[in-house]
Amino acid sequence: MFVGTNQSNMYWVDTSSLTAELKNTCHTEGVTQIAFAEGCSSVFGTAAGSDIRLWNTAKRQELVRIVVPNRTCLAMDFAKDGTLIVSGWDDGKIRAFMPESGKKAFEINDSHRGGCTALCTTHDGKIVSGGFGGEVRVWASTQSHHMEASLKEHTQRVNRII
């Protein structure tokens, strides 16, 4: 029989042995972002609630799950070379993760007051981010990830950066 959980997992349970096999998963909260790595249609990422998930498009199967407890992921993108998942969070931090393992690569603290609501990566490795207060910021690709520029033209939340 199939069994569903309140964590949005679907299991196939063998009733004779009562063994369960995970068949499908999904987010338990609304998806805030979907992104494909540049030039790769076989894997995509989704952000919802406190997690980011990578999915295999052919198998329709979850590959990697990255969880930041008690935080909400508002934006995500893949680095153009595919080596990082860059994400914006409600605590104002930008966090980057390794796509194969989900381990944290780096974190930029206090990127936006009220939360980092939008971001994208550039071909030269920079990060462009937007926040609740309407600001757009450019972050260097160096190890220090220092801010190179800050623009404040909007009066409300930045929803998307392309």
Side-chain angles (χ1 to χ4, degrees):
M1 77 176 127
F2 281 103
V3 176
T5 71
N6 64 354
Q7 292 299 305
S8 299
N9 294 325
M10 182 69 70
Y11 293 90
W12 171 252
V13 178
D14 181 341
T15 56
S16 61
S17 65
L18 290 180
T19 57
E21 178 185 349
L22 181 64
K23 288 293 189 180
N24 206 345
T25 66
C26 67
H27 292 286
T28 58
E29 298 181 44
V31 174
T32 55
Q33 186 82 50
I34 299 172
F36 280 87
E38 188 165 301
C40 178
S41 61
S42 61
V43 175
F44 69 98
T46 56
S50 64
D51 58 75
I52 296 170
R53 299 182 192 199
L54 299 185
W55 304 88
N56 178 304
T57 56
K59 296 180 181 179
R60 298 180 302 275
Q61 192 172 32
E62 182 181 315
L63 301 171
V64 175
R65 185 181 303 190
I66 301 163
V67 178
V68 179
N70 304 315
R71 293 284 137 218
T72 300
C73 185
L74 302 172
M76 66 159 292
D77 193 18
F78 288 93
K80 299 299 181 209
D81 62 4
T83 60
L84 290 173
I85 300 166
V86 183
S87 56
W89 296 79
D90 66 339
D91 61 357
K93 293 183 182 183
I94 294 173
R95 293 178 174 93
F97 301 94
M98 307 302 292
E100 293 86 13
S101 64
K103 289 185 179 182
K104 189 174 7 173
F106 66 84
E107 185 173 272
I108 301 173
N109 293 317
D110 304 318
S111 68
H112 292 276
R113 187 178 316 221
C116 178
T117 58
L119 58 77
C120 73
T121 60
T122 65
H123 286 282
D124 60 353
K126 295 179 183 183
I127 300 168
V128 181
S129 64
F132 268 109
E135 61 282 331
V136 174
R137 296 190 171 139
V138 179
W139 303 90
S141 58
T142 62
Q143 290 291 75
S144 66
H145 301 286
H146 67 275
M147 185 174 24
E148 287 188 348
S150 182
L151 309 148
K152 176 71 168 106
E153 294 295 324
H154 304 285
T155 58
Q156 303 219 359
R157 171 184 174 155
V158 176
N159 291 310
R160 181 112 192 250
I161 299 174
I162 299 176

